[in-house]
Amino acid sequence: MAWKESDARMAAFDAFARLGVGTPPELDLLRFGENALYAYRDRGLVLRVARPESRVEQVARTVEFVVRLAARGMEVAEPAAVSGVGQPVVTSTDVVILWVYYEIDAGCRVTPRELGGLLRHFHDCAAPDGDRVGPWEPFALLRPRLDGARRDGIEQSLIDPLEALLASLESHVPDVVSTLGTGVIHGDMHYGNVMCLPGRRLLLIDFDQISAGPLEWDLVPNLVTYRRFGMSDEDYASFSAAYGYDLRASPHAGTFIALRELGMMTWLLQQYGTSASLDAEIHRRIDSINDPGSRATAWRAY
């Protein structure tokens, strides 16, 4: 059965019982996708509700990792310290993490140069944790998403091209040899996972996919932005210069890109049927599989 936002909200209310909040408060939904994020501004908290299949021990390791990263000087959104409440909070249905709520600068846009520098700093700060995080599992989310789409009755014409691409990648990715080497990777390093606070203070967020894997993987989202969403040559060059490597030089860039794009498409597929514009975007992206090298294929950013 598909995970619904109403289910996540009930888990959030369950977590509030641990905070001594008797009446369910007003919660603002910030994001619903791989996780559900709710703002509880009166207490300065963000509640991140993990999907029901998430493992408690994995969520706990994420909290511990972020605490260590912050201690090394990395600017990150931090778990909230709530008296009498241990992290993560395990409810009857889901696992919830309480994070500090930050007021953001709505007019701020993170530049490619800033993102490249932030990623370089993250890789340096996270390096000591190489033996404390799990191995990169590039297909861990993809197969369950497609299985879920099939169970939800999504039309086979949408699933079949993604299944074929997944099968191809499963045979090619094991042969990838990293130029930059293996290290701790964020796993989803895109602009939406950087918060810009007043004074242009940048905080890295969303560490659910941290692992030990090829460092190139964290550069892939920006290259996809360049290829698919109209980033200029100048901006892409500034990102690469700030990080210190241009992913286009990798002999495996095409494989990395296809893997990232498959992840994006299967993520969107979980939202299929929620709006006509989103459904059209899913069709557009799946149609582009037969022409993956075309920069003329315009996608919308979600």
Side-chain angles (χ1 to χ4, degrees):
M1 181 179 296
W3 190 48
K4 300 178 181 178
E5 191 271 323
S6 58
D7 299 330
R9 188 174 290 267
M10 288 303 298
F13 289 157
D14 193 353
F16 278 114
R18 316 296 177 87
L19 302 176
V21 178
T23 303
E26 289 294 326
L27 295 179
D28 295 330
L29 178 65
L30 302 177
R31 185 188 302 178
F32 183 74
E34 213 59 58
N35 300 274
L37 271 70
Y38 297 97
Y40 181 23
R41 292 180 172 84
D42 289 348
R43 293 284 293 268
L45 297 172
V46 169
L47 286 81
R48 187 182 190 90
V49 182
R51 282 178 173 268
E53 61 267 23
S54 299
R55 300 191 302 272
V56 176
E57 60 273 15
Q58 182 178 1
V59 177
R61 283 198 299 269
T62 299
V63 173
E64 295 165 0
F65 172 82
V66 175
V67 170
R68 291 193 301 270
L69 203 60
R72 297 187 191 118
M74 184 76 208
E75 288 274 41
V76 294
E78 297 191 55
V82 180
S83 178
V85 178
Q87 294 267 39
V89 178
V90 182
T91 74
S92 58
T93 57
D94 299 285
V95 185
V96 181
I97 305 178
L98 308 177
W99 298 88
V100 174
Y101 173 79
Y102 299 91
E103 291 288 349
I104 64 170
D105 180 351
C108 175
R109 295 294 180 269
V110 179
T111 68
R113 183 177 298 278
E114 288 173 326
L115 186 67
L118 191 66
L119 177 56
R120 176 76 274 164
H121 186 44
F122 170 78
H123 282 170
D124 292 342
C125 285
D129 275 299
D131 59 350
R132 304 176 77 171
V133 300
W136 183 49
E137 297 179 355
F139 306 111
L141 295 175
L142 304 185
R143 181 65 65 186
R145 288 174 181 172
L146 291 176
D147 291 343
R150 190 177 294 102
R151 288 194 302 271
D152 292 342
I154 292 178
E155 55 195 87
Q156 201 64 34
S157 62
L158 293 176
I159 298 175
D160 285 347
L162 301 182
E163 289 273 13
L165 180 55
L166 175 57
S168 174
L169 288 168
E170 285 175 330
S171 66
H172 286 91
V173 169
D175 296 329
V176 168
V177 177
S178 173
T179 301
L180 297 178
T182 298
V184 177
I185 55 177
H186 179 274
D188 196 21
M189 191 71 181
H190 63 83
Y191 293 89
N193 279 334
V194 180
M195 288 198 305
C196 187
L197 278 52
R200 210 166 185 83
R201 180 188 174 197
L202 304 182
L203 299 184
L204 186 59
I205 65 172
D206 196 353
F207 298 92
D208 289 340
Q209 297 184 43
I210 53 168
S211 62
L215 295 177
E216 288 94 334
W217 183 237
D218 279 343
L219 283 77
V220 177
N222 200 69
L223 183 52
V224 171
T225 299
Y226 173 64
R227 286 165 47 89
R228 295 289 195 180
F229 302 115
M231 175 185 284
S232 69
D233 293 339
E234 180 182 2
D235 280 345
Y236 180 76
S238 70
F239 168 86
S240 300
Y243 181 80
Y245 182 73
D246 186 336
L247 183 58
R248 293 176 299 182
S250 168
H252 304 292
T255 298
F256 282 128
I257 291 168
L259 183 59
R260 173 70 183 181
E261 293 187 344
L262 179 59
M264 295 165 69
M265 287 185 281
T266 56
W267 182 85
L268 282 176
L269 200 61
Q270 296 175 120
Q271 324 303 324
Y272 191 74
T274 58
S275 75
S277 61
L278 179 58
D279 290 355
E281 180 65 18
I282 291 170
H283 281 277
R284 185 180 301 116
R285 295 193 182 196
I286 291 176
D287 288 344
S288 75
I289 289 177
N290 292 328
D291 187 20
S294 173
R295 287 185 60 193
T297 302
W299 287 2
R300 280 182 58 185
Y302 280 87

